[in-house]
């Protein structure tokens, strides 16, 4: 089958959206198990991402810049950084990582959800 750049880009946008939104909701003070779960997720994401070429490039980035999963800030900052590395390789503009604070909102409301719901 022929490559379709439109579909490939759409998959990229959807994937980055989930990726960054997940970081934005990662605990500020994760347990060791939370941090391991995120690190494992990122590694499996890089292994299974459907565009094989993209995944191979991304795995090289992970080797060079290992996932930072010690806190929400570290994870979100790391994800922004590696996305920018992909942006650079594709000749896209870099994103200002100081602005990721409120940019990714899951729309799911309250952060603490086990208080009487
Ligand atoms: P995207 O890069 O998809 O970004 C979507 C939105 O996220 C932007 O509009 C902006 O609002 C925001 N954003 C941009 N940069 C950042 C950042 N650093 N941090 C947080 N938010 C940001 N495509 C290829 O052609 N070749 C590849 O090798 C390739 N590798 C990829 C690897 C991975 C792991 C992923 C997830 C995608 C890959 N893609 C690849 C797709 C590519 O990165 C883009 O998603 C696609 O080209 C669409 O680009 P876009 O300009 O719409 O913005």
């Amino acid at each position: 089958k022929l490559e379709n750049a439109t579909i490939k880009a759409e998959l990229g946008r959807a994937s980055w959206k989930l990726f960054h939104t997940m970081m934005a909701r990662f605990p500020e003070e994760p347990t060791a198990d939370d941090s391991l779960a995120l690190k494992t997720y990122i590694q499996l994401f890089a292994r299974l991402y459907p565009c094989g070429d993209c995944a191979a490039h991304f795995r090289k980035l992970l080797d060079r810049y290992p996932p930072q999963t010690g806190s929400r800030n570290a994870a979100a900052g790391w994800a922004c950084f590696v996305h920018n590395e992909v942006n650079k390789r594709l000749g896209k503009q870099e994103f200002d990582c100081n602005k990721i604070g409120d940019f990714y909102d899951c729309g799911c409301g309250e952060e603490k959800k086990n208080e009487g719901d």
Side-chain angles (χ1 to χ4, degrees):
K1 239 182 156 187
L2 284 177
E3 177 172 324
N4 182 321
T6 306
I7 295 175
K8 189 174 167 185
E10 192 59 41
L11 174 67
R13 278 188 290 275
S15 301
W16 286 125
K17 177 99 169 180
L18 173 62
F19 202 70
H20 293 299
T21 307
M22 198 171 280
M23 303 307 165
R25 289 291 280 200
F26 188 64
E28 281 169 20
E29 292 174 7
T31 63
D33 188 54
D34 291 331
S35 292
L36 178 62
L38 182 59
K39 189 167 282 187
T40 305
Y41 179 89
I42 293 165
Q43 264 144 12
L44 289 173
F45 172 84
R47 174 166 161 188
L48 297 170
Y49 190 74
C51 159
D53 214 36
C54 308
H57 279 293
F58 197 61
R59 286 195 295 274
K60 281 191 190 137
L61 273 180
L62 294 195
D63 287 342
R64 205 173 315 152
Y65 308 108
Q68 302 296 305
T69 61
S71 69
R72 175 185 298 175
N73 269 346
W78 171 85
C80 188
F81 175 83
V82 291
H83 188 171
N84 270 337
E85 288 298 305
V86 174
N87 288 343
K88 273 196 252 173
R89 192 168 54 79
L90 299 178
K92 293 177 192 285
Q93 270 206 314
E94 281 187 57
F95 186 90
D96 180 354
C97 291
N98 293 312
K99 293 190 178 145
I100 45 170
D102 295 322
F103 199 81
Y104 291 96
D105 183 350
C106 67
C108 35
E110 275 297 317
E111 180 118 30
K112 290 198 177 108
K113 45 175 290 181
N114 48 4
E115 289 164 7
D117 64 328

